[in-house]
Amino acid sequence: MEHADAVVTVRVPAKLNLVLAVGPARSDGYHELATVFHAVSLYDTVEARPAAEITVVVTGERAAGVPTGSTNLAARAAAELRRATGVRAGVRLNISKRIPVAAGLAGGSADAAASLVACDALWGTRLSGGRLAALAAGLGSDVPFALEGGTAIGTGRGERLTAVTAGATFHWVLATTGSGLSTPAVYAELDRLRGGRPVPSPEVDPAVLEALRRGEPVALAATLRNDLQPAACALRPDLRGTLDAGERAGALAGIVSGSGPTCAFLARDEPHASDVAARLQAVADHSVVLQVRGPVPGARVVEAATG
Ligand code: C5P
Protein backbone atom coordinates (compact mmCIF):
# COMPACT_ATOMS: atom_id res chain seq x y z
CA MET A 1 0.00 0.00 0.00
CA GLU A 2 2.61 2.53 -1.12
CA HIS A 3 0.17 5.36 -1.80
CA ALA A 4 1.35 8.88 -0.92
CA ASP A 5 -1.55 9.41 1.52
CA ALA A 6 -1.45 5.88 2.89
CA VAL A 7 -1.62 5.39 6.63
CA VAL A 8 -1.49 2.20 8.68
CA THR A 9 -2.57 2.39 12.31
CA VAL A 10 -1.47 -0.29 14.79
CA ARG A 11 -2.61 -0.63 18.38
CA VAL A 12 -0.34 -2.42 20.84
CA PRO A 13 -0.81 -3.33 24.51
CA ALA A 14 1.33 -2.98 27.63
CA LYS A 15 2.38 -6.15 29.46
CA LEU A 16 2.58 -7.35 33.03
CA ASN A 17 4.73 -10.23 34.27
CA LEU A 18 2.56 -12.46 36.46
CA VAL A 19 5.68 -14.48 37.21
CA LEU A 20 9.22 -13.24 36.71
CA ALA A 21 11.65 -15.90 37.88
CA VAL A 22 15.19 -14.68 37.27
CA GLY A 23 17.99 -17.20 36.95
CA PRO A 24 21.73 -16.64 36.89
CA ALA A 25 23.39 -13.89 34.87
CA ARG A 26 24.55 -15.23 31.49
CA SER A 27 27.84 -14.49 29.80
CA ASP A 28 26.02 -12.25 27.27
CA GLY A 29 24.87 -9.87 30.04
CA TYR A 30 21.28 -11.14 30.11
CA HIS A 31 19.62 -13.28 32.77
CA GLU A 32 17.93 -16.59 32.12
CA LEU A 33 14.20 -16.08 32.75
CA ALA A 34 11.04 -18.06 33.27
CA THR A 35 8.24 -15.51 33.02
CA VAL A 36 4.52 -15.36 32.40
CA PHE A 37 3.67 -12.37 30.23
CA HIS A 38 0.12 -11.02 30.26
CA ALA A 39 -1.00 -8.32 27.80
CA VAL A 40 -3.37 -5.73 29.29
CA SER A 41 -5.78 -3.15 27.87
CA LEU A 42 -3.49 -0.13 28.06
CA TYR A 43 -2.44 0.75 24.54
CA ASP A 44 -0.04 2.83 22.50
CA THR A 45 -1.00 3.55 18.91
CA VAL A 46 1.52 3.80 16.09
CA GLU A 47 0.59 5.38 12.76
CA ALA A 48 2.90 4.76 9.79
CA ARG A 49 2.93 6.97 6.68
CA PRO A 50 5.18 6.87 3.60
CA ALA A 51 8.27 9.10 3.78
CA ALA A 52 11.77 9.29 2.32
CA GLU A 53 13.53 8.68 5.66
CA ILE A 54 12.64 6.95 8.91
CA THR A 55 11.37 9.57 11.37
CA VAL A 56 9.46 9.38 14.64
CA VAL A 57 7.10 11.82 16.31
CA VAL A 58 5.80 11.06 19.81
CA THR A 59 2.53 12.61 20.94
CA GLY A 60 -0.06 11.87 23.60
CA GLU A 61 -0.40 12.26 27.32
CA ARG A 62 2.86 10.40 28.19
CA ALA A 63 5.15 11.55 25.36
CA ALA A 64 7.70 13.22 27.65
CA GLY A 65 11.00 11.36 27.96
CA VAL A 66 10.65 9.23 24.82
CA PRO A 67 13.62 9.70 22.46
CA THR A 68 12.65 10.64 18.91
CA GLY A 69 15.98 10.04 17.13
CA SER A 70 17.41 6.84 15.72
CA THR A 71 17.71 5.42 19.27
CA ASN A 72 13.92 5.24 19.47
CA LEU A 73 13.08 1.54 19.47
CA ALA A 74 10.24 2.00 16.95
CA ALA A 75 12.65 3.75 14.54
CA ARG A 76 15.16 0.93 15.04
CA ALA A 77 12.42 -1.61 14.32
CA ALA A 78 11.63 0.11 11.01
CA ALA A 79 15.35 0.23 10.13
CA GLU A 80 15.77 -3.48 10.94
CA LEU A 81 12.75 -4.43 8.81
CA ARG A 82 14.12 -2.35 5.94
CA ARG A 83 17.54 -3.97 6.26
CA ALA A 84 16.07 -7.48 6.44
CA THR A 85 13.84 -7.03 3.38
CA GLY A 86 15.91 -4.69 1.21
CA VAL A 87 13.02 -2.23 0.98
CA ARG A 88 14.13 1.29 0.05
CA ALA A 89 11.16 3.20 1.45
CA GLY A 90 11.16 5.28 4.60
CA VAL A 91 8.36 5.87 7.07
CA ARG A 92 7.04 8.61 9.30
CA LEU A 93 5.96 7.02 12.57
CA ASN A 94 3.61 8.81 14.91
CA ILE A 95 3.52 7.16 18.32
CA SER A 96 0.57 8.13 20.47
CA LYS A 97 1.86 7.31 23.93
CA ARG A 98 -0.40 6.18 26.75
CA ILE A 99 1.79 3.45 28.28
CA PRO A 100 3.94 5.05 31.00
CA VAL A 101 7.64 5.24 30.03
CA ALA A 102 10.35 3.16 31.80
CA ALA A 103 7.58 1.81 34.00
CA GLY A 104 8.01 -1.98 33.78
CA LEU A 105 5.15 -2.22 31.27
CA ALA A 106 7.33 -2.75 28.15
CA GLY A 107 6.05 0.40 26.46
CA GLY A 108 9.17 0.84 24.30
CA SER A 109 9.02 -2.82 23.27
CA ALA A 110 5.33 -2.37 22.45
CA ASP A 111 6.14 0.56 20.14
CA ALA A 112 8.86 -1.51 18.42
CA ALA A 113 6.41 -4.36 17.82
CA ALA A 114 3.78 -1.94 16.51
CA SER A 115 6.34 -0.35 14.20
CA LEU A 116 7.27 -3.77 12.75
CA VAL A 117 3.62 -4.61 12.08
CA ALA A 118 2.81 -1.14 10.68
CA CYS A 119 5.84 -0.97 8.37
CA ASP A 120 5.31 -4.56 7.21
CA ALA A 121 1.78 -3.56 6.12
CA LEU A 122 2.77 -0.13 4.71
CA TRP A 123 5.70 -1.46 2.68
CA GLY A 124 3.86 -4.64 1.65
CA THR A 125 6.74 -6.84 2.83
CA ARG A 126 4.33 -9.38 4.39
CA LEU A 127 6.90 -11.22 6.49
CA SER A 128 5.86 -14.50 8.10
CA GLY A 129 5.11 -14.51 11.83
CA GLY A 130 8.39 -16.37 12.40
CA ARG A 131 10.52 -13.77 10.58
CA LEU A 132 8.79 -10.90 12.37
CA ALA A 133 9.36 -12.67 15.71
CA ALA A 134 13.07 -13.12 14.90
CA LEU A 135 13.42 -9.41 14.08
CA ALA A 136 11.49 -8.59 17.27
CA ALA A 137 13.84 -10.70 19.42
CA GLY A 138 16.82 -8.81 18.02
CA LEU A 139 15.26 -5.53 19.15
CA GLY A 140 14.58 -6.51 22.77
CA SER A 141 13.60 -9.37 25.04
CA ASP A 142 9.97 -8.22 25.40
CA VAL A 143 9.29 -7.33 21.76
CA PRO A 144 8.24 -10.83 20.56
CA PHE A 145 5.56 -10.95 23.27
CA ALA A 146 4.24 -7.52 22.26
CA LEU A 147 3.63 -8.97 18.77
CA GLU A 148 1.75 -11.98 20.18
CA GLY A 149 -0.13 -10.60 23.18
CA GLY A 150 -2.46 -12.81 25.19
CA THR A 151 -0.76 -14.70 28.01
CA ALA A 152 2.47 -16.62 27.39
CA ILE A 153 5.39 -18.23 29.12
CA GLY A 154 8.67 -16.61 28.13
CA THR A 155 11.99 -18.42 28.50
CA GLY A 156 15.56 -17.73 27.41
CA ARG A 157 15.91 -14.00 27.99
CA GLY A 158 12.12 -13.77 27.62
CA GLU A 159 11.96 -14.02 23.84
CA ARG A 160 11.03 -17.72 23.51
CA LEU A 161 7.24 -17.88 23.88
CA THR A 162 4.66 -20.56 24.60
CA ALA A 163 1.03 -19.43 24.63
CA VAL A 164 -0.93 -20.07 27.83
CA THR A 165 -4.71 -20.42 28.03
CA ALA A 166 -6.53 -17.97 30.27
CA GLY A 167 -10.03 -19.19 31.10
CA ALA A 168 -11.35 -15.74 31.99
CA THR A 169 -10.60 -12.05 31.78
CA PHE A 170 -8.64 -10.78 34.80
CA HIS A 171 -9.05 -7.26 36.19
CA TRP A 172 -6.08 -5.20 37.34
CA VAL A 173 -5.27 -1.81 38.77
CA LEU A 174 -1.92 -0.27 37.88
CA ALA A 175 -0.23 2.42 39.95
CA THR A 176 2.85 4.26 38.71
CA THR A 177 4.59 6.91 40.77
CA GLY A 178 7.65 9.06 40.31
CA SER A 179 10.15 8.75 37.51
CA GLY A 180 10.97 5.52 35.72
CA LEU A 181 13.47 2.80 36.62
CA SER A 182 16.22 1.60 34.29
CA THR A 183 15.85 -2.12 33.55
CA PRO A 184 19.63 -2.83 33.48
CA ALA A 185 20.00 -0.99 36.82
CA VAL A 186 17.31 -3.18 38.42
CA TYR A 187 18.92 -6.40 37.14
CA ALA A 188 22.30 -5.15 38.39
CA GLU A 189 20.79 -4.42 41.82
CA LEU A 190 19.36 -7.97 41.92
CA ASP A 191 22.83 -9.38 41.21
CA ARG A 192 24.23 -7.18 43.97
CA LEU A 193 21.57 -8.36 46.45
CA ARG A 194 22.27 -11.98 45.51
CA GLY A 195 25.92 -11.39 46.31
CA GLY A 196 27.27 -14.14 44.07
CA ARG A 197 25.28 -16.94 45.74
CA PRO A 198 24.27 -19.77 43.38
CA VAL A 199 20.87 -19.19 41.74
CA PRO A 200 18.68 -22.10 40.64
CA SER A 201 17.30 -22.39 37.10
CA PRO A 202 14.16 -20.27 36.84
CA GLU A 203 10.83 -22.08 36.65
CA VAL A 204 7.15 -21.24 36.35
CA ASP A 205 5.08 -22.83 39.11
CA PRO A 206 2.39 -25.00 37.44
CA ALA A 207 -0.13 -23.55 39.95
CA VAL A 208 0.01 -20.24 38.02
CA LEU A 209 -0.95 -21.93 34.78
CA GLU A 210 -3.74 -23.85 36.53
CA ALA A 211 -5.16 -20.63 38.07
CA LEU A 212 -5.01 -18.92 34.66
CA ARG A 213 -6.66 -21.87 32.90
CA ARG A 214 -9.45 -22.01 35.46
CA GLY A 215 -9.87 -18.24 35.37
CA GLU A 216 -9.64 -17.98 39.16
CA PRO A 217 -8.31 -14.63 40.37
CA VAL A 218 -8.05 -15.68 44.03
CA ALA A 219 -5.86 -18.65 43.07
CA LEU A 220 -3.85 -16.49 40.67
CA ALA A 221 -3.27 -13.90 43.40
CA ALA A 222 -1.55 -16.52 45.55
CA THR A 223 0.92 -17.39 42.80
CA LEU A 224 2.12 -13.96 41.57
CA ARG A 225 5.91 -13.71 41.87
CA ASN A 226 8.56 -11.23 40.76
CA ASP A 227 12.21 -11.88 41.60
CA LEU A 228 13.05 -8.31 40.54
CA GLN A 229 10.75 -6.86 43.21
CA PRO A 230 13.33 -6.68 46.04
CA ALA A 231 15.75 -4.94 43.67
CA ALA A 232 13.14 -2.47 42.40
CA CYS A 233 12.11 -1.72 46.01
CA ALA A 234 15.75 -1.26 47.05
CA LEU A 235 16.17 1.38 44.34
CA ARG A 236 12.74 2.91 44.99
CA PRO A 237 11.82 2.37 48.67
CA ASP A 238 8.50 4.19 48.13
CA LEU A 239 7.25 1.14 46.19
CA ARG A 240 6.72 -0.72 49.48
CA GLY A 241 4.26 2.02 50.44
CA THR A 242 2.44 1.67 47.10
CA LEU A 243 2.22 -2.12 47.53
CA ASP A 244 0.88 -1.66 51.07
CA ALA A 245 -1.63 0.93 49.86
CA GLY A 246 -2.93 -1.53 47.26
CA GLU A 247 -3.38 -4.18 49.90
CA ARG A 248 -5.21 -1.73 52.18
CA ALA A 249 -7.38 -0.76 49.19
CA GLY A 250 -8.56 -4.39 49.15
CA ALA A 251 -6.63 -5.85 46.18
CA LEU A 252 -6.25 -9.65 46.16
CA ALA A 253 -2.50 -9.20 45.67
CA GLY A 254 0.00 -6.64 44.49
CA ILE A 255 3.26 -7.05 42.63
CA VAL A 256 5.88 -4.84 41.01
CA SER A 257 5.47 -5.15 37.24
CA GLY A 258 8.66 -6.25 35.46
CA SER A 259 11.54 -4.03 36.55
CA GLY A 260 9.07 -1.47 37.97
CA PRO A 261 8.19 1.03 39.20
CA THR A 262 4.59 0.25 38.20
CA CYS A 263 2.74 -1.85 40.77
CA ALA A 264 -0.04 -4.13 39.50
CA PHE A 265 -2.94 -5.11 41.76
CA LEU A 266 -5.23 -8.01 41.00
CA ALA A 267 -8.97 -7.66 41.64
CA ARG A 268 -11.77 -10.24 41.81
CA ASP A 269 -13.80 -8.66 39.00
CA GLU A 270 -14.40 -5.34 37.27
CA PRO A 271 -16.46 -3.66 40.04
CA HIS A 272 -13.82 -4.71 42.58
CA ALA A 273 -11.09 -3.23 40.35
CA SER A 274 -13.04 0.07 40.14
CA ASP A 275 -13.29 0.12 43.93
CA VAL A 276 -9.56 -0.61 44.41
CA ALA A 277 -8.66 2.04 41.82
CA ALA A 278 -10.82 4.68 43.52
CA ARG A 279 -9.37 3.90 46.95
CA LEU A 280 -5.79 3.96 45.61
CA GLN A 281 -6.36 7.21 43.76
CA ALA A 282 -7.67 8.77 46.97
CA VAL A 283 -4.53 7.94 48.97
CA ALA A 284 -1.85 8.21 46.27
CA ASP A 285 -2.48 11.59 44.70
CA HIS A 286 0.84 11.71 42.84
CA SER A 287 0.22 8.37 41.12
CA VAL A 288 -1.13 7.45 37.74
CA VAL A 289 -3.82 4.89 38.62
CA LEU A 290 -5.25 2.89 35.72
CA GLN A 291 -7.80 0.10 35.55
CA VAL A 292 -7.07 -2.53 32.89
CA ARG A 293 -8.01 -6.08 31.93
CA GLY A 294 -6.13 -8.95 30.39
CA PRO A 295 -5.38 -10.89 28.38
CA VAL A 296 -5.77 -8.86 25.17
CA PRO A 297 -4.25 -9.47 21.71
CA GLY A 298 -0.82 -8.15 20.69
CA ALA A 299 0.10 -5.56 18.04
CA ARG A 300 -2.68 -5.42 15.44
CA VAL A 301 -3.53 -3.23 12.46
CA VAL A 302 -6.70 -1.35 13.43
CA GLU A 303 -6.90 0.81 10.32
CA ALA A 304 -5.24 0.83 6.92
CA ALA A 305 -6.31 3.62 4.57
CA THR A 306 -4.99 4.91 1.26
CA GLY A 307 -6.17 8.47 1.98
O1 C5P B 1 16.29 -7.04 25.95
P1 C5P B 1 16.22 -5.67 26.49
O2 C5P B 1 16.97 -4.67 25.63
O3 C5P B 1 14.83 -5.20 26.78
O4 C5P B 1 16.95 -5.71 27.88
C1 C5P B 1 17.35 -4.53 28.53
C2 C5P B 1 18.34 -4.87 29.61
O5 C5P B 1 17.70 -5.59 30.68
C3 C5P B 1 19.49 -5.76 29.20
O6 C5P B 1 20.54 -5.02 28.66
C4 C5P B 1 19.89 -6.41 30.52
O7 C5P B 1 20.65 -5.53 31.31
C5 C5P B 1 18.56 -6.59 31.20
N1 C5P B 1 17.97 -7.92 30.97
C6 C5P B 1 18.55 -9.02 31.57
N2 C5P B 1 18.01 -10.27 31.35
C7 C5P B 1 16.92 -10.41 30.57
C8 C5P B 1 16.31 -9.30 29.96
C9 C5P B 1 16.86 -8.05 30.17
O8 C5P B 1 19.54 -8.92 32.30
N3 C5P B 1 16.42 -11.63 30.39
Side-chain angles (χ1 to χ4, degrees):
M1 63 172 284
E2 262 301 290
H3 188 281
D5 301 326
V7 54
V8 177
T9 306
V10 172
R11 194 172 78 150
V12 65
K15 65 85 189 153
L16 306 178
N17 299 84
L18 308 184
V19 172
L20 184 48
V22 182
R26 308 192 320 199
S27 53
D28 63 1
Y30 288 91
H31 292 72
E32 201 63 24
L33 301 184
T35 188
V36 177
F37 291 113
H38 184 67
V40 293
S41 58
L42 167 63
Y43 301 98
D44 280 356
T45 304
V46 175
E47 285 176 1
R49 292 185 170 76
E53 308 290 335
I54 296 173
T55 58
V56 181
V57 177
V58 186
T59 58
E61 56 200 277
R62 309 219 165 82
V66 183
T68 54
S70 58
T71 58
N72 180 287
L73 208 51
R76 281 181 43 208
E80 283 302 310
L81 179 64
R82 192 163 67 170
R83 194 189 49 76
T85 57
V87 161
R88 288 174 190 281
V91 65
R92 178 182 165 80
L93 297 166
N94 187 334
I95 302 172
S96 174
K97 195 92 203 111
R98 289 189 59 233
I99 304 174
V101 177
L105 297 168
S109 301
D111 299 344
S115 171
L116 283 178
V117 171
C119 293
D120 188 48
L122 186 76
W123 295 336
T125 42
R126 295 177 197 282
L127 290 196
S128 65
R131 281 193 76 195
L132 276 181
L135 280 178
L139 290 159
S141 308
D142 294 338
V143 184
F145 177 72
L147 285 176
E148 287 294 318
T151 306
I153 297 175
T155 55
R157 59 186 167 85
E159 85 287 12
R160 285 206 303 267
L161 300 174
T162 309
V164 166
T165 305
T169 294
F170 293 91
H171 296 273
W172 302 88
V173 177
L174 310 181
T176 306
T177 39
S179 55
L181 273 173
S182 144
T183 302
V186 176
Y187 275 99
E189 178 65 12
L190 176 67
D191 290 340
R192 199 187 66 77
L193 292 173
R194 285 175 165 175
R197 283 185 290 280
V199 179
S201 289
E203 280 175 16
V204 171
D205 180 351
V208 184
L209 307 181
E210 183 62 10
L212 282 164
R213 196 181 59 75
R214 295 166 70 106
E216 286 181 354
V218 173
L220 184 62
T223 61
L224 300 177
R225 161 183 172 187
N226 181 0
D227 288 358
L228 289 179
Q229 185 160 309
C233 290
L235 296 175
R236 281 280 306 272
D238 60 302
L239 294 185
R240 297 248 176 247
T242 307
L243 290 167
D244 288 348
E247 212 164 283
R248 281 199 303 277
L252 297 175
I255 192 169
V256 170
S257 176
S259 55
T262 301
C263 295
F265 300 100
L266 181 56
R268 271 189 308 277
D269 50 28
E270 197 165 8
H272 183 215
S274 302
D275 186 56
V276 170
R279 287 170 193 266
L280 258 180
Q281 191 75 78
V283 293
D285 46 3
H286 300 303
S287 311
V288 176
V289 177
L290 300 164
Q291 193 181 329
V292 299
R293 71 194 143 71
V296 297
R300 297 288 183 274
V301 174
V302 290
E303 201 180 334
T306 48

